[in-house]
Structure formats: C-alpha cells, structure tokens
Amino acid sequence: MARPFRWSASLLVALAVALCLGPSAFGQEYTIGPRDVLGISVWGQADLSRDYTVDPDGFIPFPLIGRVKAVGSNPKELAAQLTERLGKDYLVNPQVIVWVKEYLSQKVQVLGSAEKPGVYYLNGPTTMLEILSKAGGLASTAGKQVILLRNNMGSGGSVSASPVLRFSLEKIQAGDVAENTRVQNQDTIIVSKAVAPHSYFIFGEVKKPGGYTLEKETNILEGITIAGGFTDKAAPSRTRVIRSTPEGQKVIEIDMNDILRRGRAATTVMLQESDVVVVPESFF
C-alpha cells in the first residue's frame, strides 16, 4: 500500500495553478534539445506547417530555408529566427508559431522507494514534488530523505564529478520551497528506504534493486551479484557509490567493466553501512 502525500493547502493551490496552466504555459521557457518534436505553424502556408523533429546535431530541416539550428533556443526565439529568414527572401510578413509537441531531450531518473521508478521527461520547470508525483508518489518502504545526484556537464558534453544533495521528504510534502527544489536534465533522484541497521542499498539497473543487510565484509561486485547482477540496459562503467562521511557526502565513481575484466586482481571498493550504489542506464 503506497503512503500518500500529505498535502498542505498552499501546496494544493500551487499545483492547481500549474495544472491549469499546463505544459503550453511553460513551453515558451523550455530550452529545445535534440530529439524534441516541434509543432510549427506558418499562417497561410499549409505545406510549411507540420511537425519537425530536432536532429541529434541540433538542427531541423525546414523547407525553403534549409537546416535551422533549434537547440539552445526556446520556442519563441526559434519562431523569431524562422520569421526573419522566411521574410528575407520568401514570404511577405510571415506569421510563425512554434511549440514543443513532444518533450524528449531532457529527462531525470527516479530510483528507490517510489511507486513507479523510471525515466521521466521534463516539459518545463519541474519541482521535486512534481517528479515524485509523476513517479506515483512514495512506496510504503520509503524513508525520510530524497537523494539527488546531479551531473555537472562540462565542455563537449563531458560529465564531471556529481554533487550529492539531500532533501527532507516531510518538508517537501509540507510545501517547503527551499526543499522542493527544481530538478534538472540528467538528475538522478533516489527515494531512500526506511533504514534497517547494517544495510546498504542498490538502485538502478540491477535485477533485484533494494536494501540488503551487510552481514559480512562485502565488496561492490559481491553486492551487485547479491542484487541479481546487471540488467541488459545497465552501464556498469558508470557505477557510483554514495557514502556518508563525517565531512559530508562522498561519491565514488567505479568502472565495473574494468573490475570484471581484471577479476581477482582488481582493487575493489568494500561496501559500508548505509552506502547507496547506483547503476545507471546505458542511454542515460
């Protein structure tokens, strides 16, 4: 039986307003990305008015004017660009409207004690509470915290060390604005489980995610094996261990493919009480 959210009056009002506005109200703020599907309407030009999918390199092929860069712009900015280019050589006073029809470029992953863990696409500014609601709310096994693992995207799309942020589920549910933070593209959100003594947790792309008792010395490979091993969608080379230390949260990046290749010769990480192991999806 899932544990329901405890809604405050102010939070209900805020969510009601957001639902009434709908995705279109947020759409003009949204930054277009690869694979998004855009609806483009040019008044009086039926042959130009249709859906366009953003290519992986960030462009859309548009009749008359060729490839147009869409990534990095919001719909209003892209409409202005199309209006200028069409009006320059082809149409008199073109009227262009752009909106996002399918949001497919920005996503977060929800793991742990949510009712429906998985990947969720962002369709505009989205809070932690809204993502947890999309994931069906909290499971009966949920603890008191949400762990947010955030990727820092460097130049060229490289991913640097991931900061770890912790938030109180009770405060999020009570409408605390500081705790109900906005999520970002590529965030991993882990709903903690109620902690049993001497336990560690494995979430993500393993066959039996959950909490396990640390009955003896257990290394990371043994822990993942206990959890059923990797699924076919796993990215073992990007495995991470989130560990609480007196100095704060620590993230240990582990290339499990390397450990598997070297076998017993590999120096591996020993799991500790309350460790959280995250195995991401290969496409995420």
Side-chain angles (χ1 to χ4, degrees):
M1 187 72 179
R3 188 170 70 194
F5 281 114
R6 298 188 293 276
W7 303 100
S8 68
S10 60
L11 192 58
L12 281 171
V13 171
L15 273 180
V17 170
L19 288 172
C20 288
L21 290 173
S24 60
F26 292 130
Q28 296 303 309
E29 301 179 44
Y30 179 83
T31 301
I32 297 167
R35 295 178 298 279
D36 283 336
V37 179
L38 308 177
I40 299 179
S41 174
V42 183
W43 188 82
Q45 302 293 326
D47 54 334
L48 303 181
S49 301
R50 57 183 176 85
D51 295 345
Y52 296 84
T53 299
V54 182
D55 292 339
D57 61 357
F59 288 77
I60 58 170
F62 202 85
L64 301 179
I65 57 177
R67 284 163 50 83
V68 178
K69 185 176 181 181
V71 163
S73 299
N74 61 39
K76 185 176 181 180
E77 291 167 339
L78 179 58
Q81 182 185 171
L82 291 170
T83 298
E84 180 182 358
R85 292 180 63 175
L86 286 169
K88 186 176 180 181
D89 296 311
Y90 302 100
L91 301 177
V92 177
N93 192 25
Q95 304 296 311
V96 181
I97 300 174
V98 177
W99 67 97
V100 182
K101 194 164 184 179
E102 293 184 45
Y103 297 85
L104 299 175
S105 66
Q106 300 184 31
K107 54 193 175 183
V108 299
Q109 188 171 27
V110 179
L111 304 173
S113 292
E115 279 294 295
K116 297 186 292 183
V119 173
Y120 293 89
Y121 290 93
L122 304 179
N123 58 6
T126 305
T127 66
M128 181 76 74
L129 180 61
E130 289 167 335
I131 282 296
L132 293 177
S133 297
K134 285 185 178 181
L138 306 178
S140 59
T141 56
K144 297 180 179 180
Q145 289 187 325
V146 175
I147 301 169
L148 190 153
L149 195 60
R150 176 156 290 165
N151 286 329
N152 287 332
M153 300 303 294
S155 60
S158 61
V159 179
S160 60
S162 304
V164 177
L165 305 171
R166 288 181 181 262
F167 299 93
S168 164
L169 278 171
E170 184 176 0
K171 290 181 179 179
I172 290 172
Q173 293 170 335
D176 188 320
V177 176
E179 293 289 303
N180 189 27
T181 188
R182 280 188 181 182
V183 297
Q184 298 179 10
N185 184 34
Q186 300 294 334
D187 278 353
T188 299
I189 298 157
I190 304 168
V191 181
S192 67
K193 289 197 172 187
V195 178
H198 310 296
S199 296
Y200 65 95
F201 305 92
I202 300 186
F203 297 125
E205 292 305 318
V206 293
K207 294 176 181 176
K208 296 186 292 182
Y212 293 89
T213 302
L214 200 60
E215 297 177 343
K216 61 177 183 177
E217 285 193 350
T218 303
N219 64 40
I220 181 79
L221 181 56
E222 292 168 336
I224 290 173
T225 301
I226 291 170
F230 298 112
T231 69
D232 293 339
K233 296 190 294 182
S237 63
R238 294 191 284 120
T239 300
R240 293 167 286 190
V241 177
I242 304 169
R243 177 168 295 168
S244 297
T245 71
E247 293 76 30
Q249 300 299 316
K250 177 182 180 182
V251 178
I252 305 170
E253 308 278 350
I254 302 171
D255 184 347
M256 289 303 301
N257 282 334
D258 183 59
I259 289 176
L260 290 168
R261 280 193 299 268
R262 293 193 290 156
R264 292 185 179 182
T267 301
T268 189
V269 173
M270 302 304 296
L271 295 177
Q272 298 181 11
E273 183 175 347
S274 299
D275 275 355
V276 178
V277 179
V278 180
V279 181
E281 292 184 76
S282 58
F283 63 87
F284 192 82

